[in-house]
Amino acid sequence: MQIVRYPVDPLSEVLSLLKLEAYVSGGFPLHANSGLAFKPHTGIKCYVVVEGSCWVSVEGEQQPTFLKAGDCAFLTSGKPFSLATDPACPAQPFIAPDRETGEALVMNAPAEGAFILGGRFSFSSSHADLLLHSLPPVVHIREGIGTRVMRNAMECLREEMCAPQPGGALIAQQFVQIMLVQALRLFLQEQGDERTGWLFALSDPQLKAALSYMHEDPAFPWTLQELANRVGMSRTAFTKKFKTRVGTTPMKYLSKWRMLLAGDRLISSDDSITQISFSAGYDTDSAFGRAFKKEWGCSPREHRQQRANKASFPS
């Protein structure tokens, strides 16, 4: 049997490192001439307009975003927002259905207005800003732009919500996660050349290759010249292009990625600090410790102990 090995995918690696978890909050109607106000949140919230249309407004953003049936909106800033059939409609605080009282989580669409499915994404890693800071407050995915992957995930999610089956909650979470990854893909294709950040650098073949090299072998003694040679550019041109598109230098990006990996291993494995130091590309514990403290604000040993204390004494 032939084993297929997928190439290193920086987007998948970052999402895995951030420990992305998806949740489905359910479906709800938005009646004509009405609006719902939502409190600040952490992570990313996702809303899919199944029927009808509505507007999403985020606090501090001048222009609301119109969503028609089939559209998705991913809200990344954590700021308060509202969903309304008209931006001028007063918004009432959203009250989630009480599952314990048996109130239906999924309701029928109103005769006018909209029917919306909601979900959210949380990150157990403290470095969620690695992704969130690359994204605008509203990532709008229009129906028709997406391939059938997004549309199929929406339909499957709606089916799971409307006709619950054993294991349905877990399956629904997977569909929501598929939708986020596909949304990031589509947004990258649509606006990758216009924005700055590691995510959008993936739309450039040479920068994507450089990021993949660093992700595939972070312990390798990478230099600017080596990376430039690997992607077929001069050192000067590569450095300039990387900093312009990613927003930081190649070596700073590499150092941050190494420290993120090291921080994760310190709390998720029993590997010694020396082992983790070598895996991050450092020959000595002292050099590793200095770089780690610069990124995390504490020593590797303190980082491991803080997480151990948190696990022992949950709040």
Side-chain angles (χ1 to χ4, degrees):
M1 181 179 67
Q2 184 180 6
I3 298 177
V4 178
R5 181 177 180 273
Y6 285 91
V8 171
D9 173 10
L11 176 57
S12 296
E13 284 207 323
V14 170
L15 291 178
S16 176
L17 186 67
L18 297 182
K19 294 178 172 53
L20 171 69
E21 296 179 345
Y23 303 89
V24 179
S25 56
F28 58 89
L30 188 62
H31 296 280
N33 301 315
S34 70
L36 295 172
F38 295 79
K39 297 178 180 179
H41 60 92
T42 58
I44 298 175
K45 282 203 168 184
C46 165
Y47 293 95
V48 181
V49 179
V50 178
E51 297 178 30
S53 62
C54 69
W55 296 80
V56 57
S57 302
V58 177
E59 184 178 283
E61 298 299 312
Q62 294 183 348
Q63 297 296 330
T65 301
F66 179 69
L67 306 174
K68 65 180 187 301
D71 284 7
C72 297
F74 294 82
L75 309 178
T76 67
S77 69
K79 295 179 179 179
F81 65 95
S82 64
L83 296 171
T85 53
D86 187 289
C89 290
Q92 301 299 318
F94 175 75
I95 301 176
D98 188 346
R99 302 187 191 192
E100 294 183 359
T101 64
E103 186 176 355
L105 189 62
V106 179
M107 303 171 65
N108 294 327
E112 296 182 13
F115 177 54
I116 299 169
L117 289 178
R120 66 182 177 88
F121 305 89
S122 65
F123 305 90
S124 56
S125 167
S126 61
H127 281 267
D129 60 336
L130 188 67
L131 173 65
L132 299 182
H133 282 185
S134 297
L135 299 172
V138 180
V139 175
H140 180 197
I141 304 299
R142 298 172 179 81
E143 198 282 331
I145 293 180
T147 61
R148 56 194 176 93
V149 173
M150 177 75 80
R151 187 162 53 252
N152 289 347
M154 289 183 199
E155 291 300 322
C156 291
L157 176 61
R158 185 183 185 188
E159 183 177 332
E160 287 294 332
M161 297 300 296
C162 293
Q165 297 291 328
L170 180 59
I171 290 178
Q173 290 171 15
Q174 299 305 311
F175 284 131
V176 174
Q177 189 159 330
I178 289 172
M179 289 170 60
L180 174 63
V181 176
Q182 183 65 5
L184 293 175
R185 283 177 173 176
L186 296 173
F187 193 69
L188 180 62
Q189 293 171 7
E190 188 179 64
Q191 299 193 28
D193 294 335
E194 303 171 8
R195 295 180 177 270
T196 299
W198 68 270
L199 175 64
F200 303 107
L202 297 178
S203 64
D204 182 286
Q206 290 172 312
L207 296 183
K208 180 182 178 181
L211 291 169
S212 296
Y213 284 129
M214 288 187 272
H215 280 240
E216 184 172 17
D217 192 0
F220 186 82
W222 294 109
T223 63
L224 285 174
Q225 191 62 61
E226 177 69 26
L227 286 168
N229 290 342
R230 294 282 186 103
V231 300
M233 299 178 69
S234 70
R235 172 176 164 169
T236 301
F238 169 68
T239 303
K240 181 178 180 180
K241 187 176 188 179
F242 193 99
K243 187 172 183 179
T244 299
R245 294 299 307 277
V246 180
T248 188
T249 66
M251 293 299 100
K252 285 184 178 179
Y253 179 90
L254 175 61
S255 178
K256 185 177 184 69
W257 179 245
R258 285 170 168 172
M259 293 305 103
L260 289 174
L261 293 175
D264 182 65
R265 286 187 64 179
L266 282 165
I267 62 176
S268 63
S269 76
D270 294 324
D271 295 342
S272 69
I273 291 178
T274 298
Q275 289 175 308
I276 296 174
S277 173
F278 283 134
S279 72
Y282 291 84
D283 295 332
T284 66
D285 289 359
S286 59
F288 170 66
R290 288 191 297 271
F292 189 90
K293 188 169 185 178
K294 184 177 180 180
E295 176 64 31
W296 287 92
C298 63
S299 70
R301 197 174 306 278
E302 290 170 339
H303 179 80
R304 173 170 274 174
Q305 188 59 47
Q306 287 172 5
R307 297 306 186 273
N309 292 342
K310 188 174 181 180
S312 299
F313 302 100
S315 56

